[in-house]
Amino acid sequence: MKLREYKPSDCVHMVRLFYDTVHSVNAKDYTPPQLDAWAPADFDLSKWHASFLAHFTVVAVERERIIGFGDVDETGYLDRLYVHKDYQGRGIATAICDCLESAVGTDRTITHSSITAKPFFEKRGYRTIKKQEVERKEILLTNYVMEKRKNKPL
């Protein structure tokens, strides 16, 4: 597996990975209507592409196949972190997250974690700031605002 920066030709594959991952991996914690609201089948590639370009976005690739991706903005907001359902538990999310956390010069990283991803972030030293309900297409989804502070030398 190697990590590289996002290329425009990646977008359609990343959106498909996002859709498939949400509808399989997150199905244990969210209902089918919630999954459809979170990851609808109809998506606007131009908006996704613009968002990936606006952030520092990395892609995990194995044998020319995209198996994961993540992105962070200049404020330290880790927006997305997804790994293909067939590649879970292999350290890919850890490698992506390590890269994203070190890419920005902020003293903290913030994310809005799903129920499913919360234990992953907790193991990385994130703490829950608050539990919240967010609305997508008139459907409520539970997630957690989580924060990780970087160690500062004394």
Side-chain angles (χ1 to χ4, degrees):
M1 186 247 346
K2 70 175 187 170
L3 292 180
R4 63 165 171 77
E5 287 194 45
Y6 170 75
K7 300 184 298 193
S9 60
D10 297 331
C11 190
V12 68
H13 304 288
M14 292 163 66
V15 172
R16 174 54 51 196
L17 185 151
F18 163 76
Y19 177 88
D20 291 343
T21 300
V22 168
H23 282 269
S24 58
V25 175
N26 298 95
K28 67 180 183 161
D29 296 308
Y30 296 90
T31 66
Q34 288 174 317
L35 298 172
D36 288 338
W38 179 3
D42 60 328
F43 41 81
D44 184 338
L45 279 179
S46 64
K47 286 184 180 178
W48 279 77
H49 175 63
S51 177
F52 290 141
L53 287 177
H55 297 169
F56 176 69
T57 303
V58 294
V59 179
V61 180
E62 187 173 273
R63 294 188 196 105
E64 306 303 315
R65 180 180 188 192
I66 294 174
I67 58 173
F69 70 91
D71 63 307
V72 64
D73 73 13
E74 70 280 351
T75 71
Y77 175 63
L78 195 157
D79 191 0
R80 291 166 285 229
L81 178 63
Y82 292 93
V83 173
H84 188 283
K85 64 183 176 66
D86 296 336
Y87 292 83
Q88 300 277 315
R90 298 185 187 181
I92 296 162
T94 297
I96 294 169
C97 207
D98 286 346
C99 181
L100 296 174
E101 289 173 0
S102 65
V104 293
T106 60
D107 66 344
R108 67 183 185 149
T109 306
I110 301 266
T111 195
H112 293 185
S113 172
S114 67
I115 296 167
T116 314
K118 187 175 182 252
F120 168 81
F121 285 110
E122 288 173 333
K123 285 179 188 172
R124 292 190 59 80
Y126 283 75
R127 65 181 184 90
T128 300
I129 304 297
K130 69 176 179 176
K131 179 179 179 180
Q132 64 183 5
E133 300 291 324
V134 294
E135 187 177 325
R136 299 281 184 269
K137 298 189 176 193
E138 300 180 7
I139 303 283
L140 291 177
L141 301 162
T142 299
N143 73 13
Y144 300 88
V145 177
M146 301 185 77
E147 172 187 68
K148 179 179 182 180
R149 294 217 171 252
K150 292 183 181 175
N151 293 333
K152 290 185 175 181
L154 297 175

